[in-house]
Amino acid sequence: MATHFTKTRILSRVKANKSLWSLPSTLLSNPSSPTKPQNVILGRLVPFFLARRYESVEACNVEDGDQVLDFPGGRVALSPEMRFIPESAQERISCYRVLDDRGQLIDGSTFKDISKELAIKMYSQMVTLQVMDTIFYEAQRQGRISFYLTSIGEEAINIASAAALTGDDVVFPQYREPGILLWRGFTLQEFANQCFGNKADYGKGRQMPIHYGSNKLNYFTVSSPIATQIPHAVGAAYSLKMDKRNACAVTFFGDGGTSEGDFHAAMNFAAVMDVPVIFICRNNGWAISTPTSEQFKSDGVVVRGQAYGIRSIRIDGNDALAVYSAVHAARDMAVSECRPILIEALTYRAGHHSTSDDSTKYRSADEIEHWRTSRDPTARFRKWIERNDWWCDVDESALRTNLRKELLHAIQVAEKVEKPLLKELFTDVYDELPSNLSEQERELRRLIENRPSDFPADVPL
């Protein structure tokens, strides 16, 4: 280490990657708007995507004056004043938004243009997700499937982010992102097959309902343990980088997942290795029954990106245009600059955590109703496309009627399809079944033979 002295400004001598502050203007529809708020995506400056990378510098002769420590991690100013960094900034990081709650464009907002065709497809898929959740939830309550979990209130994050990605981008979901699959072509029948665990289910009935996956659509299978998918996504992104692929990895998680060690290990690995991964946190206010006020004391999740040296942004997760624009910009930066990006999407889980939960036990019905009615992302986006004369009540009625018929038919078909063979419980892990698993299968068959009433009768032996 070497200590240097200089009369010039210290910060001007810090080596930083200046490309961090540029964003291709082609991403933006109005980069020169004169009425931009301070913290929105701009054509040449991205103050919302916060992060600089400081590089180590070689020792050099400088003039006498203020002290500078030439540390291996980068040059640091020395100060005779003992000053602790405050626990939080004086002002919270603001939230990028394009549409207000009435579905009107905010003056001076900058966003990625979308066509009429794309807008209608996005809205139709948001409605599809909404109707699918309602019908499958009812099916669980009727005892036709064992479990379900909805994305009610988070349709914009699902569909708008999917629309901004490409089919080559690899997705590592949590469990509230079926809209990504829906956008990529997963059919309603495929959703029903998985929830009913029949032999047409790609997981062969070995997963709980809503644990979807598709190799063809680059969507890794949902796994129940919280945050385990985050480091997996970083590893996949590292592989994409080594293969020089024009794609990125994308992982979704809730605010509760940021309290897991996997989140922190993944963030640090991604930042140090400069991998093309997008972290999308659905901060929906509740980690089951734990509110964000008890989850962390920091200014949400977005500040954690800056702590790890990752460019970050906070967005309105109930604004489809904001989500689409931010994810589109994030993907461009992740792929073209080979870097990680963190997006904190503020939203609200308007449904129960799952069919095993009653959220009215820990939050008021009035709070839920307010978000369902006043801040519903699907209704907000509908107002915008209606203002553009792209949608009307007749279209709405036809869409919802047809969707309900398709979903009810898919459920009826899925119920009639035979369950997977019993032996499928033990396959697809080893090329040749080891002796211990063979013994377990024999023991299971003996138990079923001796106590048939304790096991489901519709599973073929």
Side-chain angles (χ1 to χ4, degrees):
M1 293 185 293
T3 303
H4 303 291
F5 302 88
T6 178
K7 293 181 181 179
T8 58
R9 295 178 63 187
I10 302 303
L11 292 179
S12 66
R13 292 181 174 267
V14 177
K15 282 191 176 180
N17 186 346
K18 294 180 176 58
S19 65
L20 293 177
W21 305 103
S22 62
L23 183 68
S25 58
T26 54
L27 293 174
L28 309 172
S29 64
N30 186 16
S32 58
S33 172
T35 56
K36 296 182 186 71
Q38 180 180 359
N39 286 325
V40 297
I41 301 181
L42 304 180
R44 295 186 302 275
L45 181 65
V46 196
F48 239 164
F49 285 94
L50 302 170
R52 281 192 175 190
R53 178 159 186 148
Y54 297 98
E55 303 171 356
S56 181
V57 295
E58 297 179 357
C60 58
N61 295 324
V62 295
E63 302 174 9
D64 293 342
D66 297 332
Q67 294 183 342
V68 179
L69 179 64
D70 206 12
F71 190 70
R75 189 173 295 172
V76 180
L78 298 176
S79 172
E81 177 186 2
M82 183 174 67
R83 182 174 57 189
F84 289 86
I85 299 173
E87 63 277 11
S88 59
Q90 291 183 350
E91 295 183 5
R92 297 197 67 181
I93 294 175
S94 54
C95 181
Y96 171 60
R97 179 188 247 197
V98 177
L99 297 176
D100 63 19
D101 290 335
R102 296 167 296 175
Q104 294 182 329
L105 286 174
I106 298 171
D107 290 341
S109 58
T110 307
F111 61 96
K112 173 72 176 174
D113 276 331
I114 63 174
S115 65
K116 173 183 176 180
E117 292 72 24
L118 179 59
I120 291 176
K121 181 180 178 182
M122 286 171 60
Y123 178 71
S124 299
Q125 298 273 270
M126 290 170 72
V127 172
T128 302
L129 183 58
Q130 206 173 63
V131 174
M132 184 176 78
D133 276 345
T134 300
I135 291 179
F136 279 134
Y137 192 91
E138 292 172 353
Q140 192 280 333
R141 287 297 188 242
Q142 295 168 0
R144 300 166 82 175
I145 57 177
S146 61
F147 176 82
Y148 196 71
L149 183 151
T150 71
S151 303
I152 296 173
E154 302 179 38
E155 294 89 353
I157 295 176
N158 270 254
I159 302 303
S161 63
L165 301 172
T166 73
D168 292 330
D169 298 326
V170 185
V171 176
F172 290 80
Q174 188 180 15
Y175 41 58
R176 221 177 289 276
E177 297 85 23
I180 311 291
L181 270 179
L182 185 65
W183 182 269
R184 293 188 171 192
F186 210 68
T187 67
L188 298 180
Q189 190 62 62
E190 288 175 305
F191 281 112
N193 290 338
Q194 196 284 324
C195 287
F196 281 86
N198 59 38
K199 69 177 184 181
D201 167 30
Y202 302 127
K204 301 181 181 179
R206 292 175 294 208
Q207 281 272 25
M208 292 171 61
I210 68 90
H211 286 56
Y212 312 110
S214 173
N215 289 338
K216 181 177 69 174
L217 301 177
N218 281 330
Y219 188 97
F220 275 68
T221 302
V222 173
S223 178
S224 289
I226 300 299
T228 55
Q229 76 279 8
I230 307 178
H232 297 167
V234 177
Y238 189 39
S239 175
L240 293 172
K241 177 181 179 178
M242 290 191 295
D243 291 342
K244 294 180 171 56
R245 296 273 301 280
N246 185 34
C248 66
V250 186
T251 183
F252 294 81
F253 48 92
D255 45 280
T258 66
S259 293
E260 295 286 343
D262 282 345
F263 166 79
H264 297 277
M267 292 281 284
N268 193 52
F269 181 32
V272 172
M273 302 306 293
D274 283 323
V275 298
V277 59
I278 305 175
F279 301 97
I280 300 180
C281 175
R282 299 174 294 92
N283 185 349
N284 62 21
W286 296 89
I288 307 183
S289 60
T290 304
T292 52
S293 59
E294 297 178 16
Q295 190 71 237
F296 36 68
K297 196 173 181 178
S298 63
D299 180 11
V301 177
V302 67
V303 294
R304 301 187 179 192
Q306 189 175 23
Y308 283 108
I310 293 177
R311 194 177 296 177
S312 309
I313 188 173
R314 171 177 285 158
I315 66 174
D316 182 350
N318 286 14
D319 178 354
L321 285 183
V323 174
Y324 177 76
S325 300
V327 175
H328 193 279
R331 186 195 180 276
D332 184 85
M333 290 184 285
V335 174
S336 64
E337 301 177 30
C338 204
R339 67 168 60 255
I341 303 289
L342 170 65
I343 297 175
E344 179 188 18
L346 301 184
T347 183
Y348 190 81
R349 194 193 76 217
H352 302 300
H353 173 73
S354 71
T355 50
S356 302
D357 175 49
D358 178 5
S359 62
T360 60
K361 299 295 184 183
Y362 51 82
R363 57 182 185 174
S364 71
D366 289 341
E367 175 184 317
I368 300 171
E369 185 63 21
H370 169 70
W371 282 88
R372 273 182 176 271
T373 56
S374 301
R375 294 184 175 176
D376 176 61
T378 307
R380 189 196 301 190
F381 195 55
R382 177 185 175 182
K383 292 173 184 176
W384 181 72
I385 61 174
E386 285 180 334
R387 280 193 175 89
N388 291 325
D389 292 327
W390 295 345
W391 198 255
C392 65
D393 290 342
V394 175
D395 299 323
E396 185 76 14
S397 178
L399 174 64
R400 290 184 178 271
T401 299
N402 291 335
L403 282 173
R404 186 169 183 84
K405 290 179 180 178
E406 289 180 38
L407 279 160
L408 291 176
H409 176 71
I411 287 175
Q412 292 171 354
V413 171
E415 282 183 311
K416 296 176 182 178
V417 176
E418 192 177 45
K419 299 296 183 184
L421 293 171
L422 183 70
K423 69 176 183 179
E424 298 292 3
L425 279 173
F426 305 93
T427 60
D428 297 332
V429 176
Y430 298 97
D431 182 38
E432 295 183 7
L433 205 65
S435 58
N436 62 318
L437 288 184
S438 297
E439 175 58 32
Q440 287 180 30
E441 182 180 354
R442 289 192 294 270
E443 178 63 20
L444 177 59
R445 292 183 181 279
R446 284 194 294 269
L447 287 172
I448 295 174
E449 183 179 354
N450 294 333
R451 306 181 64 173
S453 63
D454 291 343
F455 296 88
D458 58 349
V459 176
L461 303 178

